[in-house]
Amino acid sequence: MKFIKRYFSLFFPIFSITIVFNMYTYTQDLLESYKKNVNKNYSIIISSSKPIKHRTIYDLIDDVHIIEKIDTNKLTQSFASTLSKENLDLLRKNIPYFYNIVLNYFPKSSKLRNIEKNLVNHKSIIKVETFYEKHNSFTEMVILTNGIINFFIFIVLILSFMLIAKQVEVWYFEHLRTMEIMALFGASMFKRTSRLFSMAIFSSALSSFIVVSVFYLIHNNEVIKRSILKMGLYLADFSVWTTLIESLFSSLLVSFVIILLVVFAQKD
Amino acid sequence: MDNIIEAKDIYLAYDNQANIIKNASFSMKEGEVIVITGVSGSGKSTLMKALYGSIDIINGSLKVMGSELYKTDKFRIRAIRQNIGIVFQDYKLINDYNVEDNVALPLSIQGYKKAFCKKQAKNLLAHVNLALKAKRYPLELSGGEQQRIGVARAISHNPKIILADEPTGNLDEYSSSIIWDLFQRASIELKACVVVVTHTLPSELYDFNYRRLHLEDGVLNEIY
Ligand SMILES: Nc1ncnc2c1ncn2[C@@H]1O[C@H](COP(=O)(O)OP(=O)(O)O)[C@@H](O)[C@H]1O
Ligand SMILES: [Mg+2]
């Protein structure tokens, strides 16, 4: 019982660090996938009085992925039966040139406003159409939610760090006598606190194992899979080994650093 | 041959209080046994603390294994302590380690393999008649049993120096003779320096070569 209690004093904060760390990467992956998806269906359309060279647009805005000229022939053709040939030619001459621009990234609304302004300022561009409204509502909410989640993840991380530090300190003072005796037989500080390190290793290994299992189940859950697919999102295949190694490495690193900070703050 | 312990005109005191030991000198070569006597409160334990570097001398020179203790860094102190086996007056066993792990503590500190530590601990526990208590915990044992565990721990790592503070204080005559026998063997077989603080000298009948120092009013005298 005593053994279990001792080992689990570090387990819970280390477990919450590991799970929160993986939650962060999971939601971040989802968000990235969402942004890419929004980007795919998203474009800026400009109309101009004269043909515009691609170079001109590249000069006006950064990171352009594609510039497409929108074919207006089809549009004018639909009027062929109703308009006289003269009028049709007039229409063809006067109809502006349309271009569809896709960016390499997903712009924030402030960035988008900037882009709009740059384009409008060009003398031959008549009008710029961005899907600003659509962008503004749902996407902003997704980004906001993600921000809130990240904030809570951050709080949990800070609390867990503090809890580990507290537990290490408690352990240290509970074991002062033991450590004194060890010192009398020539044990270094590292040796005297070696049980702390073994507790951290045990806790990190167990946490990583549990967290990897949980996320394996999440990634392979049919319901979750289907709803992700329905949203048009895509998540890379779950790699058990990468996740395990990342979790183990990060939890060990964090707990060792905290142990070293707490232990070596005490006088030798 | 070099002295393993060399005390020259040392003064000992607890932070700025009156001197407990004044102007004491003695030296020991390997394989020697010294018995220190003196009434309670005369400073015997204090002298032992100085020998394992737990308190610093106020004045004089105290060299252990060639190092002036108060001048050496913690790394050298550690190295020296790994060559010392201490029996404490209050035992100082680790209560949440079992008997076997307590005995093997100096060995495990020095990084010996678990199996070797276990074997050595078993071996020594058999010597002090505690083989059957290897898996028990110190607080489940009598004072005399704890004391014998302390002795077993002090010699488990074949130290160059053994410092024993009243190691037979709680023991009957038979158990005491076992302890004296262990110390004698350590001095002969391991060529260890053995310093024993005691009230009860080894029996006259016992064939044992040792020097005797006596502490009185802060003064250390060699009697024989
Ligand atoms: N940690 C300490 N701080 C202050 N004085 C101490 C301390 N330990 C022992 N003393 C005092 O030093 C004197 C010698 O104590 P000690 O060396 O334990 O005597 P002995 O072992 O011969 O009985 C005693 O008067 C005791 O009160
Ligand atoms: Mg004493």
Side-chain angles (χ1 to χ4, degrees):
Chain A
M1 246 357 255
K2 220 170 144 192
F3 167 86
I4 292 173
K5 216 177 112 199
R6 174 148 41 84
Y7 267 75
F8 278 77
S9 66
L10 282 187
F11 172 77
F12 289 109
I14 288 178
F15 178 72
S16 56
I17 286 177
T18 330
I19 198 137
V20 140
F21 174 79
N22 278 281
M23 230 152 74
Y24 175 77
T25 43
Y26 185 75
T27 52
Q28 229 44 36
D29 286 352
L30 271 183
L31 185 72
E32 278 313 306
S33 164
Y34 174 76
K35 282 179 178 172
K36 263 198 204 117
N37 193 41
V38 171
N39 205 16
K40 241 190 292 171
N41 304 327
Y42 168 88
S43 55
I44 302 168
I45 292 176
I46 57 175
S47 46
S48 83
S49 50
K50 283 183 212 147
I52 291 189
K53 284 199 187 104
H54 286 191
R55 273 293 303 276
T56 318
I57 292 172
Y58 283 128
D59 286 345
L60 287 172
I61 49 181
D62 304 326
D63 259 334
V64 175
H65 181 51
I66 307 170
I67 303 169
E68 282 171 327
K69 187 173 185 303
I70 296 173
D71 188 7
T72 49
N73 269 338
K74 264 193 197 131
L75 186 72
T76 48
Q77 206 57 53
S78 63
F79 292 102
S81 52
T82 45
L83 294 178
S84 64
K85 196 178 174 316
E86 269 165 47
N87 282 339
L88 196 62
D89 281 341
L90 196 67
L91 178 67
R92 279 198 177 129
K93 221 181 273 168
N94 286 321
I95 201 164
Y97 299 84
F98 290 99
Y99 296 89
N100 183 15
I101 302 172
V102 176
L103 300 177
N104 270 329
Y105 63 100
F106 187 75
K108 285 199 231 155
S109 41
S110 59
K111 180 78 188 171
L112 204 55
R113 251 176 265 131
N114 246 353
I115 290 170
E116 222 174 342
K117 217 177 351 174
N118 285 348
L119 291 171
V120 170
N121 285 344
H122 191 267
K123 58 181 187 312
S124 50
I125 293 177
I126 308 162
K127 194 161 168 49
V128 179
E129 199 65 60
T130 61
F131 297 104
Y132 185 80
E133 282 312 312
K134 185 181 157 198
H135 174 199
N136 218 13
S137 54
F138 189 67
T139 304
E140 291 289 299
M141 198 190 76
V142 168
I143 289 172
L144 180 72
T145 312
N146 184 257
I148 292 169
I149 290 173
N150 287 352
F151 175 74
F152 279 108
I153 285 175
F154 178 74
I155 298 286
V156 171
L157 278 182
I158 296 291
L159 289 178
S160 304
F161 291 167
M162 282 163 62
L163 193 57
I164 293 178
K166 196 75 226 164
Q167 296 288 14
V168 169
E169 216 182 337
V170 166
W171 186 95
Y172 187 89
F173 287 107
E174 272 179 356
H175 291 79
L176 266 186
R177 183 174 168 275
T178 300
M179 288 190 289
E180 263 164 34
I181 294 170
M182 293 174 103
L184 291 170
F185 286 95
S188 64
M189 186 55 118
F190 195 74
K191 195 88 202 176
R192 276 176 261 163
T193 52
S194 63
R195 288 215 170 180
L196 261 183
F197 289 99
S198 69
M199 278 159 68
I201 292 171
F202 165 84
S203 303
S204 302
L206 185 62
S207 315
S208 303
F209 176 76
I210 294 175
V211 166
V212 166
S213 310
V214 167
F215 278 90
Y216 180 81
L217 292 179
I218 290 177
H219 275 267
N220 290 287
N221 180 292
E222 283 305 320
V223 178
I224 297 174
K225 254 178 162 172
R226 234 178 290 134
S227 72
I228 286 176
L229 214 63
K230 218 187 270 170
M231 287 186 283
L233 303 186
Y234 167 81
L235 277 185
D237 281 344
F238 181 70
S239 160
V240 171
W241 287 109
T242 313
T243 316
L244 190 66
I245 288 166
E246 274 175 7
S247 303
L248 200 57
F249 180 78
S250 53
S251 53
L252 279 177
L253 184 74
V254 166
S255 50
F256 276 28
V257 166
I258 296 174
I259 290 173
L260 290 174
L261 285 177
V262 174
V263 165
F264 286 95
Q266 321 291 334
K267 65 178 184 351
D268 196 346
Chain B
M1 198 170 52
D2 289 340
N3 289 324
I4 305 291
I5 295 176
E6 197 173 294
K8 268 201 201 116
D9 307 329
I10 59 169
Y11 286 75
L12 296 175
Y14 290 98
D15 22 54
N16 299 328
Q17 292 170 17
N19 287 327
I20 287 163
I21 289 177
K22 290 168 264 198
N23 211 23
S25 300
F26 71 98
S27 61
M28 288 180 85
K29 295 192 193 313
E30 57 176 37
E32 278 193 306
V33 180
I34 282 184
V35 169
I36 299 177
T37 54
V39 294
S40 173
S42 56
K44 306 181 296 294
S45 296
T46 306
L47 179 60
M48 295 295 237
K49 281 183 205 163
L51 292 176
Y52 55 75
S54 202
I55 59 169
D56 281 338
I57 55 172
I58 306 287
N59 220 321
S61 157
L62 176 57
K63 283 186 183 164
V64 174
M65 295 177 70
S67 299
E68 185 69 67
L69 283 190
Y70 77 92
K71 280 186 191 163
T72 52
D73 59 31
K74 61 178 181 185
F75 300 103
R76 178 70 188 144
I77 292 272
R78 266 183 222 154
I80 291 171
R81 282 180 176 170
Q82 293 190 359
N83 285 293
I84 301 181
I86 316 170
V87 182
F88 300 94
Q89 197 173 359
D90 56 353
Y91 324 137
K92 290 201 196 301
L93 301 178
I94 297 177
N95 295 330
D96 50 4
Y97 285 19
N98 66 22
V99 166
E100 194 175 82
D101 290 343
N102 265 288
V103 172
L105 180 75
L107 289 170
S108 68
I109 285 172
Q110 289 171 38
Y112 284 94
K113 292 234 165 64
K114 265 215 164 79
F116 177 78
C117 292
K118 256 189 156 67
K119 208 179 105 199
Q120 181 76 349
K122 282 225 168 75
N123 188 10
L124 279 162
L125 284 171
H127 270 95
V128 295
N129 290 329
L130 286 172
L132 295 176
K133 311 258 162 131
K135 299 293 177 191
R136 304 288 286 276
Y137 286 82
L139 297 181
E140 303 167 356
L141 304 176
S142 75
E145 286 170 329
Q146 293 188 39
Q147 194 151 39
R148 280 181 279 157
I149 294 163
V151 172
R153 176 178 65 182
I155 54 181
S156 66
H157 51 308
N158 295 344
K160 289 206 161 48
I161 301 169
I162 293 171
L163 304 174
D165 198 346
E166 307 201 15
T168 58
N170 260 312
L171 300 182
D172 55 52
E173 209 165 319
Y174 172 67
S175 294
S176 300
S177 71
I178 292 173
I179 303 302
W180 282 113
D181 189 50
L182 279 173
F183 288 158
Q184 190 183 30
R185 278 177 55 187
S187 79
I188 295 166
E189 288 166 22
L190 305 174
K191 299 236 171 298
C193 275
V194 184
V195 182
V196 186
V197 167
T198 188
H199 290 301
T200 47
L201 296 173
S203 155
E204 298 283 326
L205 304 168
Y206 206 58
D207 171 31
F208 197 20
N209 289 320
Y210 60 89
R211 290 157 61 196
R212 181 178 166 197
L213 306 184
H214 188 71
L215 243 183
E216 198 171 342
D217 300 327
V219 180
L220 188 69
N221 286 311
E222 180 141 4
I223 299 180
Y224 49 81

